[in-house]
Amino acid sequence: MRIKVPAALTASHVKYDGEAGRAWSAGLPALAERYLEEWALRLDGEPRHGVVSLVLPVLREDGTKAALKLQPVTDENDTEAPGLATWAGDASVLLLDSDPATGTLLLERLEADRSLSSLPDDMEAMGILADLLARLTAYPAPEGMRRLGDIAQAMLDDVDQAVAKLPHERNRHWMRWCAAAVAELVPEPGDRLLHWDLHYDNVLAAEREPWLSIDPKPLAGDPGFDLMPALDNRWDDVVASGDVARTVLKRFDLMVERLGLDPRRAAGWTLGRALQNCLWDVADGGDGTDEWIEIQLAVAEAVRQRQ
């Protein structure tokens, strides 16, 4: 086998999936060799990885540069291929081939070492991201996508149990506040194709366009639900501004304007993302005191001014 699985990727899979994750990681070299042969690909550099996927730079038969993405099939990524196929390269990395049975994707190769995080001007980066998101969410979601309405209702169903586990009144107050905002919006959850995870590191430099989005977790819903990953991104810059609320609202207002959103609805769905992240924290045994949740609450306090 020519493929060596990075130890950090194996550790990540073991952390989240135990021995099943270790077994999947151990099978990666054979899985990679299978698609190198079936899709007539040649290795063209060192592998890269995230928390879940292994990405191999490859060349197609005609010499075209591409990237082979190997990942286990999960509820989060099983809509990635149909989402990318719908966008067909418009504001997103281009899907060249896929196998739904294994979650394997063949993608246009982008500049993996140059993301929007490399831009020193935060608002310039935010403008680029917002313009990409406006293009992505202009597409109606295809059939088979997860639906924001279902996700939001499931969140609301979990709130009472989660609130009971929080020791601090401030966290309980904000969880209820966010839940009330979501409850108001659930009857009209939207039907646009959402990325769900568009932050600076999921926008890479490219040849076909200056910047393109990667790694979506597509679902059908209101574009306001897609703002949070950018609002809480590069948080050190927000803190360094000296006025957290003002800087969050500056980002929020820019995105709302570029996407043509109703500020009140966008604020409500952003509170929904804060709620979702807090619920995940509680489900993982958290009590709302870590830095990540403090960031969620800081964003929630700021965008509440737009409700």
Side-chain angles (χ1 to χ4, degrees):
M1 295 291 179
R2 295 172 289 169
I3 310 300
K4 292 184 178 180
V5 181
L9 180 60
T10 298
S12 177
H13 280 282
V14 171
K15 176 182 177 181
Y16 292 105
D17 294 317
E19 289 308 308
R22 190 186 303 280
W24 187 85
S25 184
L28 264 176
L31 188 66
E33 292 288 352
R34 169 186 166 183
Y35 287 99
L36 289 172
E37 180 178 353
E38 287 187 10
W39 291 345
L41 307 171
R42 291 181 287 123
L43 290 173
D44 186 41
E46 294 299 313
R48 305 180 70 92
H49 70 91
V51 175
V52 174
S53 61
L54 180 70
V55 180
L56 304 175
V58 294
L59 296 174
R60 305 182 81 184
E61 275 190 303
D62 62 1
T64 302
K65 293 180 179 179
L68 181 64
K69 183 176 182 179
L70 303 154
Q71 59 189 355
V73 177
T74 68
D75 289 342
E76 282 197 354
N77 65 32
D78 66 357
T79 58
E80 183 172 359
L84 291 173
T86 298
W87 288 316
D90 186 5
S92 80
V93 65
L94 186 62
L95 178 68
L96 303 175
D97 209 336
S98 68
D99 184 352
T102 64
T104 304
L105 307 176
L106 186 63
L107 304 168
E108 168 187 20
R109 197 193 306 180
L110 308 184
E111 297 183 30
D113 292 321
R114 187 166 166 245
S115 74
L116 272 185
S117 291
S118 66
L119 293 187
D121 187 324
D122 181 61
M123 293 310 292
E124 178 187 1
M126 187 62 62
I128 292 169
L129 184 148
D131 288 343
L132 289 172
L133 190 56
R135 291 164 60 188
L136 295 172
T137 57
Y139 285 78
E143 292 295 324
M145 289 288 127
R146 292 166 297 174
R147 298 178 297 178
L148 177 55
D150 297 335
I151 291 169
Q153 186 58 57
M155 287 160 50
L156 294 176
D157 292 343
D158 290 341
V159 167
D160 287 344
Q161 186 176 7
V163 165
K165 296 178 181 179
L166 294 174
H168 303 292
E169 177 55 33
R170 175 171 178 254
N171 298 83
R172 294 194 293 267
H173 165 79
W174 276 108
M175 187 170 284
R176 293 190 188 100
W177 185 284
C178 293
V182 172
E184 183 179 335
L185 296 171
V186 162
E188 297 182 34
D191 65 353
R192 300 291 91 186
L193 182 57
L194 308 186
H195 184 287
W196 204 2
D197 195 26
L198 194 61
H199 52 75
Y200 290 176
D201 287 333
N202 274 347
V203 177
L204 298 182
E207 293 183 5
R208 183 167 53 83
E209 291 195 31
W211 302 97
L212 291 169
S213 64
I214 64 165
D215 203 23
K217 307 293 185 287
L219 74 156
D222 190 300
F225 196 66
D226 249 359
L227 305 188
M228 177 64 96
L231 296 176
D232 65 17
N233 189 67
R234 208 151 72 174
W235 192 251
D236 288 346
D237 288 353
V238 177
V239 174
S241 72
D243 190 334
V244 167
R246 179 178 178 276
T247 303
V248 168
L249 286 177
K250 187 177 180 182
R251 289 178 168 188
F252 177 84
D253 291 343
L254 182 149
M255 296 185 75
V256 165
E257 179 183 357
R258 297 286 180 94
L259 272 71
L261 304 180
D262 172 8
R264 187 171 182 276
R265 288 184 61 84
W269 281 120
T270 299
L271 292 175
R273 285 299 284 267
L275 174 64
Q276 184 177 60
N277 289 331
C278 290
L279 288 170
W280 283 342
D281 179 68
V282 172
D284 289 340
D287 64 0
T289 60
D290 65 19
E291 182 182 10
W292 171 241
I293 297 305
E294 284 298 317
I295 292 171
Q296 302 305 299
L297 298 187
V299 172
E301 290 186 70
V303 302
R304 184 177 65 167
Q305 300 178 50
R306 296 294 186 260
Q307 276 193 293

